[in-house]
Amino acid sequence: RLLNGEYPGPTLRIKAGDTLEITYINNLENRGSVYQHNQYSANDDSNMHFHGLHISGELPSDDVTHVVYPGESYTYDTTLPSTHMGGTHWQHPHKHGSTSLQVGGGALQAVIVEDEAGFLPDQVANAREVLFIAHYFNIAQLESVAGDANDSVLNFDIPAADANEYSEFVTVNGQYRPIIEVDANEWIRLRVVWANFLQGDLDLGIPDCEMYLLAKDGIYIQDFPRFITDATVVSGGRADIMVRCPDPDTSYPMNGIVDGLAYIQTSGTTVTSEALASWTPTYPSYLSDLTSQSVSSGCDCDTRLAGRTINGFSFPDIANDGEQYLHASYLGAVVARQLSANAHPYHQHVYPFQLIGAGFNGNYNRVGDWHDTVKGTGEIRFRPTEFTGKLMLHCHRLVHEDVGMMAIEYVGPVGNTCYCNN
């Protein structure tokens, strides 16, 4: 179950204003696995989610309630706003019931929205890019999901002698512990995608190398360069990091959720490079600063992720009961959510959100940062600017999302009102 038969799938590079047209062909065999609501099921039904892109959540765009059945196809057609910020994103299947099985099994690919010429400071623009798609394999968890779903496809042929060593591991760009070759003292831009179907943070650290945060979830931070010692990227999240390793002919381990994710190997050549200069990006309107804005009347709602539910509700049975909305807002509103998601990485489609609550104020995460996936407790805000309709939200522990930890918000036109289903 791979995208274009590759692991990971081919990287897409697009620009703001581009129209993205993808014909998604489900070549999986129909093995008779039918959908069971809020259970691991429909193993070979599929669809596509454009994780992180600021695009419509309605067809023919990023509507994950649509199903592409085995032997069928669907052409997704969506246009990025001309103001879409450049950044690192990814895409993957998102069919409720089989998301963890398909993503956990390797159906994923990176999506890069390229920056306009002259937008980035020269030190960043001229740095060599290194894509780092980290994908987590937890064999026991995947086999458990496959067993519950009565799936006959997913299988790991691991010799008994190696079972302990390979009970859980991370691949990087489809490879096990790859080596990244750089020159000593060279700045590289590491584009990190944490393609995880479970809970654990990536916790990427590179001892004895410099790491400066540039962007999270495809959105540049406002106080670059921010020195970090580890990147606590939550499941489904991304990070762009400027990295410099000092000594020639040296192997630097890249550690994280497991040690030795990959290795940076410096050459015998030491290049000249300067300290990174401060830079603040210009933000488009959908990312306008909301930290000092007043929340619109009725638009401050609670969103609690606990017990495989959101606010005590499981994902509605759309086929039988229609769409049911957790909360509602409207174009132009300043929307606040009092988020409680300490053990559950919260992911929101369509509109990224800004961290407001003091509970998010640390070093890797700071008040004022923008995300589409986060873990913690505190206030977040966003302002719908152009897309009405469905806004999906869910736990990015996809084993939880598949069994009901997902909900729909509705964004109405100007003139509508907000409501909360707390």
Side-chain angles (χ1 to χ4, degrees), residues 60-273:
S61 184
D62 190 17
D63 183 352
V64 299
T65 66
H66 181 69
V67 184
V68 183
Y69 295 101
E72 297 184 359
S73 66
Y74 182 78
T75 298
Y76 291 93
D77 190 333
T78 189
T79 299
L80 276 66
S82 61
T83 58
H84 200 295
M85 179 167 273
T88 304
H89 306 285
W90 62 306
Q91 60 186 40
H92 59 80
H94 203 307
K95 170 64 183 73
H96 188 56
S98 61
T99 308
S100 52
L101 187 66
Q102 294 183 17
V103 176
L108 54 103
Q109 63 190 129
V111 180
I112 307 299
V113 180
E114 296 181 338
D115 296 286
E116 295 295 325
F119 180 79
L120 294 172
D122 288 345
Q123 288 173 301
V124 176
N126 296 332
R128 183 160 58 91
E129 287 190 6
V130 176
L131 185 61
F132 191 95
I133 306 175
H135 181 225
Y136 182 53
F137 281 97
N138 183 303
I139 304 305
Q141 282 275 0
L142 279 171
E143 289 182 336
S144 175
V145 170
D148 289 346
N150 294 315
D151 181 61
S152 60
V153 175
L154 187 72
N155 179 57
F156 295 95
D157 187 15
I158 299 176
D162 298 326
N164 287 335
E165 181 178 358
Y166 297 110
S167 61
E168 61 173 339
F169 58 93
V170 174
T171 63
V172 175
N173 302 335
Q175 301 176 36
Y176 183 64
R177 294 181 171 173
I179 295 174
I180 299 169
E181 296 181 344
V182 303
D183 289 331
N185 212 42
E186 174 192 7
W187 285 115
I188 62 171
R189 176 180 179 170
L190 197 66
R191 289 187 179 266
V192 178
V193 176
W194 182 210
N196 185 14
F197 76 105
L198 293 174
Q199 176 191 4
D201 300 343
L202 181 60
D203 285 334
L204 176 65
I206 313 171
D208 301 319
C209 296
E210 297 173 79
M211 298 173 59
Y212 289 91
L213 189 62
L214 172 65
K216 294 183 293 180
D217 290 356
I219 301 172
Y220 294 109
I221 62 173
Q222 57 192 326
D223 58 345
F224 173 79
R226 183 187 302 174
F227 176 74
I228 58 173
T229 55
D230 63 279
T232 53
V233 187
V234 301
S235 175
R238 288 87 63 218
D240 288 55
I241 308 166
M242 297 295 290
V243 175
R244 182 169 67 173
C245 299
D247 297 326
D249 294 320
T250 302
S251 179
Y252 294 92
M254 306 177 77
N255 297 324
I257 189 170
V258 297
D259 286 339
L261 297 168
Y263 294 85
I264 292 179
Q265 177 64 52
T266 56
S267 70
T269 300
T270 300
V271 300
T272 300
S273 60

Side-chain angles (χ1 to χ4, degrees), residues 3 12 20 22 48-51 90-92 107-109 111:
L3 300 181
L12 299 180
L20 184 59
I22 294 179
M48 181 60 76
H49 169 47
F50 305 93
H51 188 126
W90 62 306
Q91 60 186 40
H92 59 80
L108 54 103
Q109 63 190 129
V111 180

